Amino acid sequence: MSPLLPALFVAMVGGFWLFALWRVVASGHGVAQACFVAGYLPLAIVVRLGHPPDPMAPIWAPFLYPYTWGGIAALFWAASQLRASRHGIVVDGTPPRMAAFYLALLALHAGAVLAAPLHSGHVLTLYLMVPPAMVVLALLLYLSISLLFRRAGRTVMSWGALAVLALLPAGWVKLCELAVPALLRYA
């Protein structure tokens, strides 16, 4: 394997973490920022409880899995900022790009949970072993939701659009099942 490919993968994950940090800081939204900071702690605790052989794992693992860190933060954010209506999910008081970022992470994790029974454990393997694939999926979901918000002119996501975005990870897992072995074999 070329040394360029692992460097590209690390750059993708690191770039996503920097993008997440930038999106949270640039939003200027105190609740979103507090949720992002608070999202680190549960992930570090879970990693520590897993008794890894590396005592530094609770410190570096959240940076290796920034989509998990952001997903936990998105759960905290959703508890205080989302409201269900007849037409869909309404975001109260959060800037549209910040809301799109957290909604993308919620859709990623909801889709991973929905896809798990269909793919016999491959979802968890992909989630843990191929962070660059999850980062790309999170960014695709973010761009999709941002476009939906821009077209609607307000931060409301219809139930239908949310269902389609939650089903996208199932197709993504199937694509990765085919693409990742080929990429690793021929790179």
Side-chain angles (χ1 to χ4, degrees):
M1 179 185 295
S2 166
L4 231 68
L5 197 58
L8 174 67
F9 290 162
V10 168
M12 288 171 64
V13 174
F16 181 78
W17 184 85
L18 289 173
F19 173 74
L21 183 64
W22 171 73
R23 175 56 49 218
V24 169
V25 171
S27 73
H29 190 253
V31 173
Q33 293 169 346
C35 290
F36 189 74
V37 171
Y40 178 88
L41 190 59
L43 181 57
I45 290 170
V46 167
V47 169
R48 182 66 187 134
L49 291 177
H51 299 293
D54 182 9
M56 295 298 289
I59 294 171
W60 61 258
F63 295 97
L64 180 61
Y65 301 107
Y67 49 89
T68 306
W69 179 354
I72 294 168
L75 280 174
F76 293 155
W77 170 82
S80 67
Q81 300 295 304
L82 294 184
R83 183 174 46 89
S85 76
R86 221 170 26 112
H87 303 289
I89 293 178
V90 179
V91 180
D92 289 331
T94 303
R97 289 184 181 171
M98 187 68 244
F101 181 71
Y102 276 156
L103 284 172
L105 291 170
L106 288 173
L108 180 139
H109 288 88
V113 169
L114 291 173
L118 304 173
H119 293 284
S120 66
H122 292 233
V123 175
L124 184 60
T125 303
L126 178 68
Y127 189 87
L128 294 175
M129 302 305 289
V130 192
M134 299 308 291
V135 163
V136 170
L137 176 59
L139 288 175
L140 288 173
L141 289 167
Y142 168 72
L143 291 173
S144 302
I145 294 171
S146 292
L147 288 173
L148 285 172
F149 282 172
R150 185 172 294 159
R151 286 177 81 201
R154 56 194 177 119
T155 51
V156 175
M157 176 163 287
S158 71
W159 293 113
L162 190 61
V164 168
L165 288 173
L167 291 176
L168 184 63
W172 187 256
V173 169
K174 194 47 114 176
L175 176 68
C176 288
E177 283 177 358
L178 301 172
V180 169
L183 180 68
L184 293 176
R185 186 176 316 129
Y186 297 113

